[in-house]
Amino acid sequence: MAVYSMTGFGSALAATGATGSAGSDSVPSSGGGVGVELRSVNGRFLDFSLRLPDELRGLEPALRELVGGAFRRGKIELRLTTQREADTAWPQPQPEQMMRLAQLESTVHSWLPKARPISVTEALNWCRGGNAPERLDEAAMVAARRAVEALREAREREGARLVAILMERIAHLRTLATQAAPLLPAVVQRQQQRFLERWREALAQAGAGTTVSADALQERALNEAAAYALRIDVAEELSRLNAHLDEITRLLKAGGELGKRLDFLIQELHREANTLGSKSSALELTNISVEMKVAIEQMREQVQNIE
């Protein structure tokens, strides 16, 4: 299943002629058409707004059902416009239109014998506005379905790009975690050496250097180093961080609606990186913690756009 972004754009145009057919991508000379544009940005829930002309206000429930069935999250705006022929482009009169116009003219003349006959220009203008409302509605729904599909494709393409970025950041975090693990024994060993040196300095200054054996001094330094190692041990944090990265990878490969779950896992990654930084007493580990936080924040920015 694909991963979808909440950012995208889709548009479509459906034409309607005097015969009632709808569905072509261009507006024929004998009728008009309906254009639909869909714009989507990120949002916590589905926030759908419409901009419809007055003659198509009745389509709002159907359009809401269409968009609501296709998307789950995001701030989506639908704009629907009707297109008419330019004044210089005359429609091609249809037989049924001419028959209807002749009947109307005959009825008018039967009641008003002195009424002026209809001119060619008036007849063409009448044909131009002769599209039935139901034909315009049909074209609008055709265009809306096409625009929804175009928006889904755009969000899918953007989602694939976000997945690639996230996978790259995941690989970077794994590399940083791998670099952090071997540093701990070296840090403990350096601290142990510092303890020994400080004990010797303290005993020398107190004049007790001859009353404390080397074994006792080393044992005390080892105990202090062991306690220090427990305080700075980040093995558990690194293990949880790798577990969260495994879960994020699994979700990205599975696809679907996973934005909220990813957002929670990003918070957990931040927690582990913060703990790693707070336990760090070596410059190397501090630098790794900072780099982790930068990478996690970059992931958060991308996850905010995933449906």
Side-chain angles (χ1 to χ4, degrees):
M1 189 180 296
V3 174
Y4 292 93
S5 168
M6 288 187 285
T7 302
F9 173 81
S11 64
L13 174 66
T16 177
T19 59
S21 61
S24 62
D25 291 329
S26 60
V27 180
S29 61
S30 59
V34 179
V36 174
E37 291 183 353
L38 279 170
R39 290 179 171 83
S40 175
V41 295
N42 62 320
R44 294 185 60 188
F45 308 101
L46 180 61
D47 183 6
F48 181 43
S49 60
L50 300 95
R51 298 178 61 183
L52 304 176
D54 292 338
E55 63 267 28
L56 294 175
R57 289 290 180 186
L59 292 179
E60 182 172 345
L63 292 173
R64 288 191 178 276
E65 181 179 0
L66 175 64
V67 174
F71 307 106
R72 294 293 180 268
R73 294 180 65 198
K75 185 177 181 180
I76 302 176
E77 178 185 1
L78 184 147
R79 181 179 181 183
L80 191 151
T81 57
T82 58
Q83 299 182 356
R84 299 292 184 181
E85 293 178 297
D87 293 338
T88 57
W90 294 106
Q92 179 66 38
Q94 301 298 313
E96 59 269 22
Q97 289 180 312
M98 294 294 96
M99 291 178 59
R100 176 59 176 165
L101 186 59
Q103 292 174 355
L104 292 174
E105 184 181 27
S106 176
T107 302
V108 171
H109 282 163
S110 66
W111 288 92
L112 302 172
K114 296 182 179 181
R116 180 176 58 85
I118 297 175
S119 66
V120 174
T121 301
E122 291 170 339
L124 291 174
N125 282 328
W126 188 87
C127 292
R128 174 180 294 170
N131 286 332
E134 60 271 14
R135 296 170 184 170
L136 201 60
D137 289 355
E138 179 185 357
M141 293 306 299
V142 169
R145 284 190 288 269
R146 289 179 181 171
V148 166
E149 185 61 30
L151 180 59
R152 283 184 60 85
E153 293 175 357
R155 286 169 55 135
E156 182 177 356
R157 290 192 299 269
E158 179 67 13
R161 189 183 70 84
L162 295 179
V163 169
I165 295 174
L166 290 173
M167 294 300 288
E168 179 184 353
R169 294 294 88 194
I170 288 173
H172 182 53
L173 286 171
R174 291 189 190 278
T175 300
L176 292 174
T178 303
Q179 293 173 357
L183 293 175
L184 295 176
V187 172
V188 173
Q189 186 177 4
R190 288 200 302 267
Q191 194 65 25
Q192 178 182 343
Q193 188 63 32
R194 291 195 189 101
F195 286 145
L196 286 170
E197 293 173 357
R198 291 173 182 173
W199 271 104
R200 291 192 183 102
E201 292 175 359
L203 290 174
Q205 292 175 0
T210 59
T211 62
V212 179
S213 66
D215 292 339
L217 182 64
Q218 185 176 6
E219 182 181 358
R220 183 59 183 270
L222 290 175
N223 290 335
E224 293 289 343
Y228 173 77
L230 291 175
R231 290 197 304 270
I232 69 168
D233 183 28
V234 293
E236 186 177 351
E237 285 75 13
L238 292 177
S239 177
R240 286 197 296 264
L241 186 141
N242 281 310
H244 296 327
L245 293 177
D246 290 341
E247 180 63 12
I248 292 174
T249 302
R250 186 191 69 81
L251 290 175
L252 292 175
K253 290 181 178 179
E257 300 173 21
L258 43 84
K260 293 182 179 180
R261 283 178 288 177
L262 289 178
D263 188 59
F264 170 76
L265 289 170
I266 293 297
Q267 294 179 24
E268 294 302 306
L269 287 178
H270 257 299
R271 190 193 310 276
E272 306 306 333
N274 285 330
T275 305
L276 178 64
S278 64
K279 287 187 174 183
S280 173
S281 62
L283 181 61
E284 301 93 324
L285 286 174
T286 301
N287 290 337
I288 288 177
S289 173
V290 171
E291 286 194 45
M292 281 184 172
K293 291 178 183 179
V294 171
I296 293 170
E297 187 59 33
Q298 291 172 344
M299 292 179 67
R300 181 196 296 276
E301 293 175 358
Q302 305 304 326
V303 166
Q304 296 297 320
N305 289 321
I306 292 181
E307 184 177 26

